Amino acid sequence: MRLQALGDPRRAPCRTQSQRGPRRSPSCSGRRGHPPFGRSTPSLRGAPAPSPGSPYTSQTSIPFLPSWVTDFLPPADGSQQTIHFLSSTEPRFVDPTPADRFDIYRKVPKDLTQPTYTGAIISICCCLFILFLFLSELTGFITTEIVNELYVDDPDKDSGGKIDVSLNISLPNLHCELVGLDIQDEMGRHEVGHIDNSMKIPLNNGVGCRFEGQFSINKVPGNFHVSTHSATAQPQNPDMTHIIHKLSFGDTLQVQNVHGAFNALGGADRLTSNPLASHDYILKIVPTVYEDKSGKQRYSYQYTVANKEYVAYSHTGRIIPAIWFRYDLSPITVKYTERRQPLYRFITTICAIIGGTFTVAGILDSCIFTASEAWKKIQLGKMH
C-alpha cells in the first residue's frame, strides 16, 4: 500500500532537520494520534523515504490501512493535503498523461465493485444466450443462401433458339415397331418418326416398349407426340396407356435448395385410362437460370402442365390415338443465385448481439439490485 499526499504549494513547507535542529517539528508529525509521516515504517513495496527539499509531495508506506480507504489528513499547520492510497500491486498515476484523457473506457477499481448472487445468475444466462445466438449466426454465415428473381428476357441467347428435351416414357401394351416420335411447331417444322438420339427398349417379352429420346425443339409454340404415325402398318386398336418417367427441358439441376417443377410429369401413371383414348398435355415452359457462387450459369426450364383424355372421331371414323405434348414458352425468366452473407454483416450482427445482450442484462441486474436494496431498507425500517 502506498500513501501519496499532495499539499497546497501556497502553504509554507515544513522545516527539515537541517533547518530546525535534530528533532522534527510537531507540525510535520501529522494528526494527533497518528504516527508522523516522516517516521520510518516498514514498506510493502520498498519505497524510499521522501527526500529533503520536497515540501509539496511526500510519499511513504502505510501497511496498517486497507487499500479502499481514501481520507483527508490535514497536518497540524492547517494546510490541507489529499491522501491517495494506491494499490500495492498496481501503480496508479494521479495525473493522467494527455493521451490517457482520450480513454473512453475508464477503469473502475475492483475494490469498488460488489458481486451479487443475482448478478452471477444473470451473467451466466447472458453468456449462454450470446453463445446460442453466435452459433445461429455462424451457421447462417456458413450456409449458402439462394436468392431468386424474375425478369423478362431470353437468358440462353447462345442456344440458337433451341431447347433440349429429355423424354422417357413406357407403353406396356404397344410394340416397339409401332412407337414413334413426331415433332412440329409454328416455324414450319414437321418431323415424323424422329430417331436421332433415341432408343426403344422392349418390355413384357416384346409386348410393350420403353422409349427414351434426346431431341431439341424451337423456342416457339409447337408440340411433339408419341404415336404410331411413323409405323409402316397402322394397328387397329393401339393401346396408348403409359407411364411417364421423365420429361425435362434444358440442363438438369440437382440442387437441394431449389424446389421447382423441372420434371412435373415425372411419375404420371395412365395405365388405367381408356386404351383407345388420346392424351393431351398442355405445357407452359418457364426459362430458369441457376448461377452458383463462382458465377457459372446453367440454363434449365420449369413447366406447368394441364392434361385431358379423350377419344377423337372424324367424319371418316375414329382417329388413331396419340400422346400429345403441346407447349408454349413464358416470357418471364426465373433466376436463382447462390449468395453467402458478407463478412462485414456477420461482424455487425455479432457486435449487435453481444452489445445488446450485455446492455439488457445490465439493466435487468440493476433493476433487481435496486429493488432488493430498497426491500432491505424497508425491512430495516429505514424507508418511510
Side-chain angles (χ1 to χ4, degrees):
M1 312 296 291
R2 289 201 177 187
L3 172 66
Q4 182 172 351
L6 302 181
D8 190 350
R10 295 174 298 179
R11 303 283 185 175
C14 298
R15 297 182 179 179
T16 61
Q17 182 177 359
S18 60
Q19 294 172 336
R20 298 194 58 182
R23 297 180 61 88
R24 187 176 300 273
S25 173
S27 62
C28 299
S29 302
R31 290 198 325 193
R32 181 177 300 174
H34 292 276
F37 289 178
R39 296 177 183 269
S40 60
T41 57
S43 175
L44 298 180
R45 298 292 298 268
S51 60
S54 301
Y56 307 119
T57 303
S58 61
Q59 182 174 356
T60 185
S61 300
I62 307 240
F64 51 83
L65 292 178
S67 61
W68 50 268
V69 175
T70 302
D71 194 5
F72 293 93
L73 301 176
D77 60 356
S79 63
Q80 292 186 357
Q81 293 181 337
T82 304
I83 311 303
H84 299 274
F85 293 92
L86 305 181
S87 173
S88 61
T89 57
E90 294 293 336
R92 298 182 185 178
F93 300 96
V94 177
D95 293 329
T97 62
D100 295 339
R101 300 181 186 275
F102 294 98
D103 185 8
I104 62 176
Y105 302 101
R106 300 300 178 96
K107 309 304 183 292
V108 179
K110 190 175 181 180
D111 296 336
L112 301 179
T113 60
Q114 176 182 355
T116 60
Y117 179 75
T118 305
I121 295 177
I122 294 178
S123 300
I124 294 174
C125 295
C126 178
C127 294
L128 294 177
F129 185 69
I130 290 176
L131 179 62
F132 169 73
L133 294 182
F134 173 76
L135 294 178
S136 301
E137 287 297 326
L138 182 61
T139 303
F141 174 72
I142 297 175
T143 304
T144 301
E145 180 185 8
I146 297 180
V147 181
N148 59 73
E149 58 181 328
L150 302 177
Y151 60 93
V152 178
D153 192 12
D154 181 13
D156 191 7
K157 297 181 177 62
D158 298 331
S159 63
K162 301 287 186 180
I163 300 176
D164 296 329
V165 183
S166 178
L167 177 63
N168 189 336
I169 185 172
S170 295
L171 296 92
N173 299 316
L174 194 64
H175 294 278
C176 287
E177 293 82 2
L178 303 175
V179 177
L181 177 67
D182 308 330
I183 305 173
Q184 58 186 10
D185 56 37
E186 293 185 358
M187 292 185 66
R189 181 182 181 183
H190 191 184
E191 185 177 351
V192 179
H194 180 84
I195 58 175
D196 295 339
N197 299 322
S198 61
M199 179 174 55
K200 299 178 183 180
I201 303 173
L203 299 175
N204 300 330
N205 297 323
V207 176
C209 184
R210 179 170 181 170
F211 178 84
E212 298 180 6
Q214 303 282 339
F215 56 95
S216 61
I217 58 176
N218 296 318
K219 293 183 178 181
V220 293
N223 71 82
F224 54 91
H225 51 276
V226 177
S227 66
T228 60
H229 298 165
S230 61
T232 55
Q234 295 296 318
Q236 292 295 326
N237 297 310
D239 189 344
M240 303 305 295
T241 56
H242 61 278
I243 299 177
I244 301 176
H245 305 286
K246 179 182 179 182
L247 176 61
S248 62
F249 300 87
D251 298 335
T252 301
L253 297 181
Q254 296 180 351
V255 183
Q256 296 180 355
N257 296 329
V258 175
H259 302 284
F262 296 96
N263 186 23
L265 279 175
D269 189 346
R270 300 293 183 269
L271 296 179
T272 58
S273 302
N274 186 350
L276 301 178
S278 294
H279 300 267
D280 267 12
Y281 296 98
I282 295 89
L283 313 178
K284 194 70 172 181
I285 302 176
V286 181
T288 304
V289 181
Y290 186 86
E291 181 177 342
D292 57 16
K293 292 180 293 185
S294 63
K296 181 181 179 180
Q297 293 184 346
R298 286 181 288 175
Y299 303 97
S300 184
Y301 297 85
Q302 304 180 61
Y303 62 92
T304 58
V305 59
N307 67 289
K308 63 178 179 179
E309 178 184 337
Y310 60 94
V311 178
Y313 292 90
S314 66
H315 61 281
T316 58
R318 182 170 51 82
I319 299 177
I320 298 175
I323 304 172
W324 298 81
F325 300 93
R326 308 180 190 274
Y327 61 87
D328 192 8
L329 273 75
S330 171
I332 302 297
T333 298
V334 180
K335 183 177 181 180
Y336 296 97
T337 306
E338 286 186 355
R339 292 180 182 176
R340 179 166 290 177
Q341 183 180 0
L343 180 60
Y344 70 88
R345 184 178 300 175
F346 173 72
I347 296 176
T348 303
T349 305
I350 295 302
C351 292
I353 289 174
I354 297 175
T357 304
F358 271 114
T359 301
V360 174
I363 295 174
L364 180 62
D365 178 66
S366 178
C367 293
I368 295 176
F369 180 77
T370 304
S372 63
E373 291 295 319
W375 177 252
K376 290 179 181 179
K377 291 182 179 181
I378 293 175
Q379 295 294 325
L380 295 175
K382 295 183 179 180
M383 182 175 291
H384 303 281

